[in-house]
């Protein structure tokens, strides 16, 4: 069983940065397509970023975060990160880490495992 635990959320001002972490246990994260999603109040969960499995090295981003967010992984720590720079108030949401046994997808239904989420709040 794979478990995902997010951390690193918080309250920041617009223009500042945060780094979210997703600690993976049970299996190496390289066995999965890993992704970050977010959900703002009253909105559906939306895709933020993903990386392909088996060290393929491909990364994907939503247009709204491209150039500001970076997904990466640390094999030794079995942890996936989301570096978020130049944060905007519209980035405010609960951020979720997810893992898929199958291929990368921008659809939340394509992911088998989810973390509990971490709150990111960006003030203007």
């Amino acid at each position: 069983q794979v478990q995902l635990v997010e951390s690193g959320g918080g309250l920041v001002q617009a223009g500042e940065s945060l780094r979210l972490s997703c600690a993976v246990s049970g299996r190496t994260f390289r066995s999965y397509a890993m992704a970050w999603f977010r959900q703002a109040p009253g909105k559906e969960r939306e895709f933020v970023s993903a990386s392909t499995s088996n060290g393929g090295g491909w990364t994907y981003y939503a247009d709204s975060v491209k150039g500001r967010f970076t997904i990466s992984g640390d094999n030794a720590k079995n942890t996936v990160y989301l570096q978020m720079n130049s944060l905007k108030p519209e980035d405010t949401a609960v951020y979720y880490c997810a893992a898929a046994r199958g291929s990368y997808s921008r659809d939340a239904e394509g992911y088998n495992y989810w973390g509990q989420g971490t709150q990111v709040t960006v003030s203007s």
Side-chain angles (χ1 to χ4, degrees):
Q1 183 72 9
V2 174
Q3 290 187 324
L4 310 176
V5 179
E6 303 98 332
S7 60
L11 171 63
V12 297
Q13 292 188 334
E16 294 184 339
S17 299
L18 278 175
R19 189 179 75 162
L20 304 184
S21 299
C22 174
V24 181
S25 61
R27 198 166 180 179
T28 174
F29 75 86
R30 294 293 182 188
S31 300
Y32 301 92
M34 299 297 300
W36 290 93
F37 286 78
R38 67 186 181 187
Q39 188 166 19
K43 296 187 177 181
E44 293 187 353
R45 192 167 297 189
E46 66 172 356
F47 171 81
V48 175
S49 179
S51 64
T52 55
S53 58
N54 296 323
W58 294 102
T59 57
Y60 302 88
Y61 298 94
D63 288 344
S64 59
V65 306
K66 198 172 296 182
R68 300 188 298 122
F69 290 12
T70 304
I71 189 171
S72 63
D74 184 325
N75 291 332
K77 296 182 178 180
N78 208 27
T79 298
V80 177
Y81 302 101
L82 184 68
Q83 178 66 44
M84 306 186 296
N85 298 329
S86 302
L87 283 161
K88 304 175 181 180
E90 51 263 43
D91 294 319
T92 295
V94 177
Y95 283 70
Y96 297 90
C97 178
R101 291 193 295 266
S103 303
Y104 140 79
S105 172
R106 292 179 180 244
D107 188 345
E109 291 187 357
Y111 291 82
N112 307 101
Y113 306 101
W114 291 85
Q116 82 289 351
T118 185
Q119 176 71 47
V120 172
T121 304
V122 184
S123 63
S124 58

